[in-house]
Amino acid sequence: MISSSSVLAICKDAAGVAGNIFAFGLFVSPMPTFRRIIRNQSTEQFSGLPYIYALLNCLLCMWYGTPIISSDNVLVTTVNSIGAVFQLIYIILFIVYAEKVKKLRMLGLLLAVFVLFAIVVAGSLQMIDHMMRWIFVGSLSGASLVSMFASPLFIINLVIRTKSVEFMPFYLSLSTFLMSSCFFLYGLFNYDPFIYVPNGMGTILGIVQLVLYFYYSNRSREDSREPLIVSYG
């Protein structure tokens, strides 16, 4: 007979594995942008800041998932390790094709990310009390996740203002929702508020994005079916 703790562990691992799979969709989503950058040999008007911030977020969450900081969160470490590699590749490509001013700025920001991460790692290792270490790193990674999930608020505002989903790709919104909802469940099954609270917020924002997408995409299709009235005068 399977115990309730075993069922809980299986559900947690299943949610974590699913979260890792859906996160991969997020990690590969910038590829069309970088294909364009490589093709044109220029970063044009694209900003490298989202990749810098995403790298810092991945590094902090990766460190939080290690056994040194939190218990039984290996799948958090794996997904963020993969994410950090993707973001680092994007940043290197951005630096290669950026203008000199942007290149120097991105190099400086990349160095700042590694220095900040090293400070967090060194500082947390100095904390003898494991609970204090868990709260310290968990608070930083949780705050980083919340701000990352809050970043689409600008896009949501843009969609409502323009009544168009042109700037909100469906598969990106869907991947965000699926990943955050999986890790929300993962955090609940593991009784970890530093995982389920920020991912719960991400799930809610993901639902909002999907609702807006279907509302405005359906609305635009209905408008396109209306007879065209040409005014002369």
Side-chain angles (χ1 to χ4, degrees):
M1 186 175 179
I2 301 174
S3 64
S4 58
S5 60
S6 298
V7 172
L8 199 66
I10 292 169
C11 290
K12 178 182 76 68
D13 289 341
V17 170
N20 274 251
I21 293 169
F22 293 131
F24 192 78
L26 286 177
F27 298 151
V28 300
S29 62
M31 281 188 173
T33 298
F34 281 91
R35 276 200 297 266
R36 175 174 169 175
I37 288 173
I38 294 169
R39 187 175 64 248
N40 297 337
Q41 303 283 295
S42 170
T43 56
E44 301 175 36
Q45 299 301 312
F46 292 113
S47 172
L49 289 178
Y51 311 107
I52 288 287
Y53 184 75
L55 175 62
L56 179 60
N57 177 70
C58 286
L59 290 174
L60 289 174
C61 293
M62 177 188 72
W63 179 238
Y64 176 74
T66 59
I68 297 173
I69 306 300
S70 62
S71 59
D72 204 16
N73 274 327
V74 175
L75 289 169
V76 172
T77 299
T78 58
V79 68
N80 285 287
S81 299
I82 296 167
V85 171
F86 269 94
Q87 302 311 318
L88 189 57
I89 291 170
Y90 294 144
I91 291 167
I92 291 170
L93 286 172
F94 194 94
I95 290 171
V96 168
Y97 293 103
E99 298 170 359
K100 187 176 180 180
V101 175
K102 279 187 179 180
K103 198 187 296 281
L104 291 173
R105 185 186 179 201
M106 286 292 288
L107 282 169
L109 288 171
L110 181 60
L111 179 62
V113 165
F114 285 126
V115 169
L116 182 58
F117 178 60
I119 291 171
V120 170
V121 170
S124 57
L125 290 175
Q126 293 299 314
M127 298 177 181
I128 300 173
D129 184 64
H130 189 271
M131 179 64 71
M132 186 181 295
R133 188 190 306 160
W134 175 67
I135 293 172
F136 171 67
V137 180
S139 298
L140 290 176
S141 63
S144 178
L145 271 173
V146 168
S147 56
M148 186 189 75
F149 286 131
S151 61
L153 288 173
F154 170 76
I155 301 297
I156 290 172
N157 179 55
L158 186 64
V159 169
I160 295 171
R161 199 171 68 248
T162 61
K163 296 179 173 57
S164 170
V165 294
E166 179 185 358
F167 301 103
M168 190 172 70
F170 171 72
Y171 289 108
L172 184 60
S173 300
L174 181 63
S175 296
T176 302
F177 165 69
L178 292 172
M179 183 202 71
S180 55
S181 58
C182 285
F183 277 105
F184 168 66
L185 293 174
Y186 178 91
L188 282 178
F189 291 137
N190 205 31
Y191 307 107
D192 194 326
F194 293 122
I195 295 177
Y196 69 70
V197 170
N199 282 287
M201 293 179 182
T203 302
I204 293 169
L205 283 170
I207 292 171
V208 170
Q209 288 182 69
L210 291 174
V211 168
L212 285 173
Y213 183 90
F214 285 114
Y215 175 75
Y216 285 111
S217 60
N218 288 334
R219 186 168 172 174
S220 63
R221 280 197 292 269
E222 288 172 5
D223 290 344
S224 66
R225 287 198 295 267
E226 291 180 1
L228 181 63
I229 300 173
V230 182
S231 175
Y232 296 93

